[in-house]
Amino acid sequence: EMNNMINALANYTLREIDRASRDEFERETFYKANTISATPTRFLELVAAAILAWVLPGQMSMLCFLAIAPSIIGNLFGTAWLRKRVATPPVGRIWPAMTVYLIPLIVMFVGIAHNAYAPDSTSYLLGAGAGVTAAIIFTPFLRRRQHQRDQARLDSELDD
């Protein structure tokens, strides 16, 4: 079962941090360092994906998505583990800071359009642009809704 696999991975990871730390301060600092490393890692994966989108020929340029797949899958694991314990945070990232992520994302989609869909890449770019725009518009609403559902589920589990 997927939950057992996620819990096993989480337990292993947390035990490793516990094993490596000598006290609560070190443990907390290790957790913070792991959290801090996530932001530049995700950004650099997008940069790598953008580069691959431009250097891989033709349809192979879509393989650039493999550069961001590990973070997406890892984030899904972490979110699944989190939601068993607390409600999904209702607030996302700060949007002006997130625009920095849009730069390599746009470069990546334009690279795919140029290499995989040239000379008629307009429909691909319109679709990608619509998808990104929809994600930007709907993500805050979906996060708040998910938080409410998670909180209701956790509250009902406490009542049982």
Side-chain angles (χ1 to χ4, degrees):
E1 181 181 316
M2 184 64 91
N3 278 334
N4 290 338
M5 182 176 73
I6 291 170
N7 283 332
L9 178 64
N11 290 337
Y12 169 78
T13 304
L14 296 173
R15 274 195 311 273
E16 283 299 301
I17 291 175
D18 286 344
R19 188 181 61 77
S21 55
R22 293 177 296 185
D23 58 31
E24 187 68 31
F25 176 75
E26 280 189 356
R27 185 177 312 115
E28 185 71 23
T29 304
F30 291 155
Y31 287 140
K32 287 178 182 178
N34 282 335
T35 302
I36 291 166
S37 71
T39 299
T41 299
R42 289 184 190 120
F43 178 76
L44 293 172
E45 286 174 347
L46 285 172
V47 170
I51 293 168
L52 289 171
W54 281 95
V55 300
L56 292 174
Q59 294 283 320
M60 289 186 64
S61 65
M62 287 191 275
L63 290 174
C64 70
F65 288 110
L66 292 175
I68 57 177
S71 278
I72 292 170
I73 294 167
N75 194 40
L76 290 172
F77 277 39
T79 300
W81 184 86
L82 174 84
R83 289 183 59 212
K84 293 289 184 187
R85 287 149 183 83
V86 297
T88 305
V91 180
R93 300 201 183 263
I94 300 168
W95 284 107
M98 289 300 293
T99 58
V100 174
Y101 281 78
L102 289 177
I103 295 167
L105 196 63
I106 290 167
V107 170
M108 179 185 77
F109 283 125
V110 171
I112 292 170
H114 175 73
N115 287 324
Y117 295 103
D120 184 32
S121 58
T122 305
S123 60
Y124 172 80
L125 288 173
L126 287 173
V132 169
T133 302
I136 289 170
I137 291 169
F138 290 115
T139 296
F141 167 76
L142 294 172
R143 286 184 67 95
R144 282 191 302 274
R145 185 171 173 203
Q146 186 64 52
H147 173 78
Q148 291 167 349
R149 288 194 333 230
D150 287 349
Q151 194 62 55
R153 179 182 44 79
L154 291 168
D155 289 344
S156 72
E157 288 174 6
L158 284 176
D159 292 339
D160 292 343

